[in-house]
Amino acid sequence: MSPSPIRVGLIGLPGTPADKYEGTNWAASAHLQYLIKSPHYEIVALSIEQFRGISSSFESQAWLKFEYLAAYPDVDMVICSTRVDLHFSTVKPSILAGKTIFVEWPLESNLSLAREMSLLATKHGCKTIVGLQGSFAEPIREIKGLVDGGRIGKVLGSTMFAALGNSGRTESKNVRYFLERGVGGNTLSIHFWHALECVVSVIGEFKTWNSFLINQHPTKDIVESSNYMSTTDSTVVQASAPNNVPDQHLFQGITTSNIPFSMHRRGGAPFPGTPAVEWRIQGEKGEIRLTSSDYFIHMGHPEPCIKIELFVEGEGVSDVHWVDGEIDGVRDEVTELRLPVIARGIARLYEANRKGEWVPDWQWAVKRHEVVEEMWKRYDEDSEKGLAV
């Protein structure tokens, strides 16, 4: 007999018309895609403030204020995909009730709140998950297999150069909060860290590192956009909005295996005709090169959006192919669900959770927040010395 599905309460679907909505709609484009197809999970409750009247598809679910999800006996797991600075207040009642809770990354707007969330969850015996899915992405797993399998020999060093897409001289109104450091959701915590999560899953954690952040656009025009990216010809809805989030991110570190790594992520679009992301891993016997036309390699986009090339001495350069949707050469349940690409990493977090396998939890998230917070601290110190703006 199959086990009963895990019953979930979902918080974060948009409840406003498309022309008035601001945000990334991540709950609908990623979480919901898996939850409505998986036989292992069942949506039994939705938060009433967020969802009233959005779709007749959810008429059978309970419509609850998020405070009541904690007390609702039919909810085994609470999922929160709201704006970052609403995470703790939204799930705190569920923490106190000892629920299983999945919160998107970043966990909260700063390290202090993230740490408080994690400690409270531990105190109340909550099982926790954070939405850091980079190590579950197909191309990242493919690269890890090449490195761990010794195809390029001992790893000597690694570099990444990438555009952010966002954080150019204009910003989409959908993510105007990217200009507000206090919100906590921005290109440093989201774009930068999702990329670094992919890196450490392959070459290991850092034992020492340094960073430099520069804000080249202290004001930006907010523009109309059909998604969370802006274009130079978009209609301006707010001119010269103040911006206190850096748009040039430089990071250098040495891993616990003595592998040096360097990354520069710059605001805006890439040079025309060049990749949005290029990541190289140099080894004693060869080199791996990943290029992506998309800004987010942790999404796991298939070929040709993401391309992996392998150079091995004596063999030359070859393209590395993988079957779209497969992990480590295996078709899993996520593959069979035929989900949109951006939903697959999140789906594999859900799958690992139900199978009792490792998932990044809130303690893991706090470790990541510690790095982001230290980067902000060093930026503030550099700004006081006149070394950064």
Side-chain angles (χ1 to χ4, degrees):
M1 182 177 178
S2 300
S4 299
I6 298 170
R7 302 167 299 178
V8 304
L10 179 58
I11 308 169
L13 288 176
T16 55
D19 61 337
K20 292 183 171 56
Y21 174 72
E22 293 189 11
T24 62
N25 202 9
W26 190 243
S29 57
H31 291 267
L32 189 63
Q33 298 296 322
Y34 169 78
L35 292 171
I36 61 177
K37 287 189 174 183
S38 172
H40 306 294
Y41 289 84
E42 179 186 4
I43 301 174
V44 297
L46 303 165
S47 176
I48 195 167
E49 293 96 341
Q50 300 280 347
F51 303 124
R52 178 179 290 133
I54 62 165
S55 173
S56 59
S57 302
F58 296 108
E59 289 179 353
S60 62
Q61 281 73 19
W63 299 75
L64 304 171
K65 293 184 177 180
F66 66 81
E67 299 96 323
Y68 299 159
L69 287 178
Y72 194 55
D74 290 340
V75 171
D76 304 312
M77 179 180 185
V78 173
I79 301 158
C80 177
S81 183
T82 62
R83 204 173 81 165
V84 174
D85 54 343
L86 301 175
H87 284 175
F88 194 9
S89 61
T90 300
V91 301
K92 187 173 183 179
S94 296
I95 296 175
L96 298 177
K99 300 280 189 182
T100 295
I101 310 173
F102 187 152
V103 172
E104 264 303 332
W105 170 262
L107 193 57
E108 244 292 347
S109 58
N110 58 59
L111 172 61
S112 177
L113 288 172
R115 187 174 283 150
E116 184 181 352
M117 281 179 71
S118 181
L119 290 172
L120 191 63
T122 299
K123 177 181 178 180
H124 290 275
C126 299
K127 181 176 182 179
T128 60
I129 308 169
V130 68
L132 285 168
Q133 70 270 38
S135 63
F136 291 78
E138 294 101 318
I140 306 306
R141 293 284 284 269
E142 194 72 27
I143 289 177
K144 181 173 175 58
L146 293 171
V147 170
D148 292 350
R151 289 291 282 138
I152 61 172
K154 177 184 176 181
V155 175
L156 304 178
S158 181
T159 59
M160 180 182 289
F161 181 77
L164 291 167
N166 300 105
S167 286
R169 59 187 177 86
T170 64
E171 193 60 89
S172 166
K173 70 178 181 62
N174 285 33
V175 288
R176 67 174 80 210
Y177 53 84
F178 279 4
L179 279 61
E180 302 175 46
R181 172 175 169 177
V183 172
N186 50 60
T187 53
L188 179 62
S189 61
I190 298 173
H191 302 53
F192 175 87
W193 193 266
H194 273 302
L196 205 59
E197 189 75 14
C198 295
V199 171
V200 298
S201 73
V202 175
I203 65 173
E205 301 287 336
F206 291 98
K207 62 181 179 181
T208 185
W209 60 270
N210 203 354
S211 65
F212 293 98
L213 306 175
I214 301 290
N215 181 6
Q216 299 285 27
H217 297 95
T219 64
K220 301 186 183 196
D221 290 344
I222 305 299
V223 299
E224 287 282 358
S225 174
S226 59
N227 54 34
Y228 53 88
M229 294 290 180
S230 65
T231 60
T232 55
D233 59 351
S234 301
T235 302
V236 175
V237 297
Q238 181 184 354
S240 301
N243 168 52
N244 60 11
V245 175
D247 46 45
Q248 299 285 330
H249 310 153
L250 291 86
F251 180 97
Q252 290 184 319
I254 301 174
T255 73
T256 54
S257 299
N258 290 319
I259 301 170
F261 171 78
S262 177
M263 173 160 60
H264 180 189
R265 297 208 68 156
R266 70 180 199 184
F271 187 89
T274 66
V277 181
E278 180 173 356
W279 178 22
R280 296 189 180 199
I281 304 174
Q282 179 195 21
E284 284 187 322
K285 300 190 302 183
E287 188 166 359
I288 299 167
R289 178 177 182 250
L290 176 149
T291 54
S292 174
S293 60
D294 189 87
Y295 303 105
F296 302 106
I297 61 173
H298 72 284
M299 299 285 195
H301 290 281
E303 302 177 81
C305 178
I306 287 183
K307 181 179 181 181
I308 300 173
E309 296 169 281
L310 173 66
F311 166 69
V312 178
E313 292 179 0
E315 299 179 19
V317 178
S318 62
D319 291 339
V320 177
H321 301 288
W322 68 97
V323 178
D324 183 27
E326 290 189 1
I327 282 287
D328 302 329
V330 176
R331 295 182 65 83
D332 58 10
E333 290 201 37
V334 173
T335 309
E336 300 301 331
L337 292 176
R338 300 185 180 277
L339 299 172
V341 169
I342 63 174
R344 293 176 188 164
I346 292 295
R348 291 197 165 94
L349 290 179
Y350 282 113
E351 285 289 297
N353 170 67
R354 75 171 183 84
K355 295 175 182 177
E357 299 172 352
W358 178 85
V359 291
D361 60 14
W362 292 3
Q363 292 181 7
W364 186 267
V366 168
K367 288 172 53 182
R368 298 337 194 187
H369 271 283
E370 287 171 349
V371 176
V372 173
E373 194 89 353
E374 180 63 22
M375 292 178 73
W376 279 117
K377 178 183 175 183
R378 296 181 188 188
Y379 169 67
D380 290 338
E381 292 173 350
D382 286 344
S383 296
E384 290 176 3
K385 297 174 184 176
L387 302 177
V389 294

